[in-house]
């Protein structure tokens, strides 16, 4: 969960509705955008995302190591180009891109153009090799990696009224909600295709169209290589009946309040994002399966190592524990990975 520019977060479109009525009511999309990315917004704070929640990047350096191995596979598939791009979408404070550079073999690292895409300012002391920017570069040749970005692209929320009609949920800055107009236009068409709401009062959905557009714009920068989105996700046929909108503050889940005091997030319909950028070979898999394909299994080291190399056994045991957390069912292992190759084979296959 990390920010990027407001323009990219809205798919680079100019069709945003920021209207607020005289009593302070507006849609969740506009309210979230200002609460997270506006002046004084949550993601403008100096402590960064790690001050409020723990992602796979913060859980273990093994995650950055696995992404580095993925970048090496992309490099091989590309024929080892003279310049190899690594684009870290919504880079937070640069933790992932820094870890990937540190984990790469020297010969690969020497050819890497590391780009961190982030709304917040460049952190002090960041590796000079990392370019800090607020939009993804054009004509990427390499790996574009978006870890917990799309869940923070603001979306509107719909709720079924007593007559069975999906309506936009309006919210005030203090988190109070009421129902607004019926969902119409592109939003209604998106719901019909990707998250149809039965006519039962109280059912809710997040309208993921801005995320589809944001992902299509980001993945569309790839000339050759691989685009990957990693996020909390759900798929058609298993959408949560009351939505997933929630908040996080100081490591705890909380009621979402769009006043800048907490993160506001919702799970991602990654299947809809994949269809919005219809590249051949795109597929969805769990983080558990993706990391296992990259050699991260979480298996315990052999007990015999404890007698021959006690220190090595302790290190291996700690690594196994971290790998187990990254791949755990019911936890980080259930994250969705959307993998979209462009001009190369699927480097996670097999």
């Amino acid at each position: 969960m990390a920010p990027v520019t407001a323009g990219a977060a809205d798919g680079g479109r100019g069709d945003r509705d920021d209207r607020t009525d005289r009593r302070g009511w507006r849609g969740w999309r506009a309210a979230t955008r200002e609460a997270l990315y506006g002046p004084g917004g949550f993601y403008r704070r100096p402590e960064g995302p790690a001050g409020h929640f723990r992602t796979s990047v913060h859980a273990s350096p093994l995650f950055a190591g696995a992404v580095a191995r993925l970048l090496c596979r992309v490099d091989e598939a590309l024929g080892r180009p003279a310049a190899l791009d690594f684009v870290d979408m919504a880079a937070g404070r640069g933790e992932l891109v820094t870890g990937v550079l540190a984990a790469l073999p020297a010969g690969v690292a020497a050819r890497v153009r590391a780009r961190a895409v982030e709304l917040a300012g460049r952190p002090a002391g960041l590796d000079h090799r990392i370019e800090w920017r607020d939009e993804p570069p054009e004509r990427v040749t390499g790996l574009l990696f978006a870890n917990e970005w799309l869940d923070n692209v603001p979306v509107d929320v719909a709720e079924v009224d007593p007559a069975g009609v999906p309506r936009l949920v309006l919210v005030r800055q203090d988190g109070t909600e009421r129902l607004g107009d019926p969902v119409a236009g592109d939003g209604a068409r998106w719901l019909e295709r990707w998250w149809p709401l039965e006519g039962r009062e109280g059912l809710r959905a997040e309208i993921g169209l801005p995320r589809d557009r944001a992902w299509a714009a980001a993945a569309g920068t790839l000339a050759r290589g691989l685009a990957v989105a990693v996020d909390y996700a759900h798929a058609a046929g298993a959408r949560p009946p009351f939505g997933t909108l929630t908040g996080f503050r100081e490591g705890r889940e909380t009621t979402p309040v769009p006043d800048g005091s907490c993160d506001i997030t919702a799970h991602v319909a990654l299947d809809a994002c994949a269809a919005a950028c219809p590249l051949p070979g795109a597929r969805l898999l769990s983080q558990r399966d993706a990391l296992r394909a990259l050699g991260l299994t979480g298996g315990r080291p052999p007990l015999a190592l404890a007698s021959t190399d006690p220190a090595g056994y302790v290190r291996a045991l700690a690594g196994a524990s971290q790998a187990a957390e990254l791949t755990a069912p019911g936890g980080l292992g259930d994250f969705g990975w959307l993998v979209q190759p462009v001009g190369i084979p699927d480097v996670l296959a097999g």
Side-chain angles (χ1 to χ4, degrees):
M1 290 176 277
V4 71
T5 61
D10 282 288
R13 302 279 297 226
D15 55 355
R16 301 178 303 191
D17 183 358
D18 293 309
R19 290 176 296 177
T20 304
D21 73 12
R22 288 176 297 175
R23 292 174 294 174
W25 296 105
R26 55 181 167 173
W28 267 107
R29 182 184 178 193
T32 300
R33 184 169 49 249
E34 182 165 339
L36 296 185
Y37 308 118
F42 180 81
Y43 277 115
R44 300 281 191 174
R45 296 183 176 189
E47 69 268 21
H52 296 273
F53 41 77
R54 190 165 177 257
T55 72
S56 297
V57 178
H58 307 121
S60 169
L62 294 177
F63 187 79
V67 176
R69 289 193 293 278
L70 179 59
L71 180 57
C72 288
R73 291 189 186 184
V74 172
D75 183 42
E76 289 289 334
L78 290 169
R80 300 181 182 177
L84 176 67
D85 292 317
F86 176 66
V87 181
D88 182 7
M89 291 292 297
R93 295 302 179 266
E95 298 95 336
L96 177 60
V97 64
T98 298
V100 168
L101 282 176
L104 288 172
V108 178
R111 293 183 286 110
V112 166
R113 295 185 297 198
R115 277 84 173 266
V117 183
E118 176 57 63
L119 175 65
R122 182 186 182 94
L126 190 71
D127 191 315
H128 71 277
R129 295 174 294 173
I130 299 171
E131 178 187 347
W132 198 262
R133 51 189 300 144
D134 61 8
E135 295 283 355
E138 296 293 334
R139 304 293 298 171
V140 172
T141 299
L143 174 61
L144 182 143
F145 200 88
N147 185 60
E148 294 194 52
W149 167 44
L150 291 172
D151 68 311
N152 280 134
V153 173
V155 291
D156 274 315
V157 178
E159 182 176 321
V160 178
D161 71 8
V165 177
R167 293 180 175 271
L168 287 175
V169 177
L170 305 182
V171 63
R172 281 177 167 166
Q173 193 176 41
D174 64 0
T176 305
E177 292 184 337
R178 72 171 177 85
L179 298 187
D181 294 335
V183 181
D186 289 346
R189 286 185 284 274
W190 189 92
L191 283 178
E192 183 178 3
R193 179 179 180 188
W194 293 109
W195 199 333
L197 291 169
E198 300 174 6
R200 182 155 60 93
E201 182 181 0
L203 294 181
R204 286 170 68 118
E206 291 99 33
I207 303 173
L209 183 60
R211 292 165 172 183
D212 296 354
R213 291 172 173 169
W215 178 246
T221 65
L222 207 63
R224 290 182 68 221
L226 184 69
V228 179
V230 181
D231 237 309
Y232 299 97
H234 45 63
R239 308 284 190 214
F242 303 106
T244 62
L245 189 75
T246 191
F248 284 92
R249 182 188 297 114
E250 297 177 355
R252 296 180 181 273
E253 190 168 359
T254 185
T255 301
V257 178
D259 62 359
S261 67
C262 66
D263 182 34
I264 299 172
T265 178
H267 293 198
V268 182
L270 280 179
D271 49 351
C273 293
C277 188
L279 300 170
R283 66 184 178 113
L284 298 167
L285 65 162
S286 70
Q287 174 156 297
R288 180 168 51 258
D289 290 340
L291 292 183
R292 284 177 176 172
L294 292 167
L296 207 62
T297 65
R300 294 172 63 91
L303 189 59
L305 185 63
S307 57
T308 60
D309 183 4
Y313 178 77
V314 171
R315 288 193 300 271
L317 195 61
S321 175
Q322 293 173 15
E325 180 182 3
L326 291 171
T327 58
L332 295 175
D334 288 344
F335 270 48
W337 279 46
L338 167 56
V339 178
Q340 296 197 288
V342 177
I344 64 170
D346 185 348
V347 295
L348 282 172

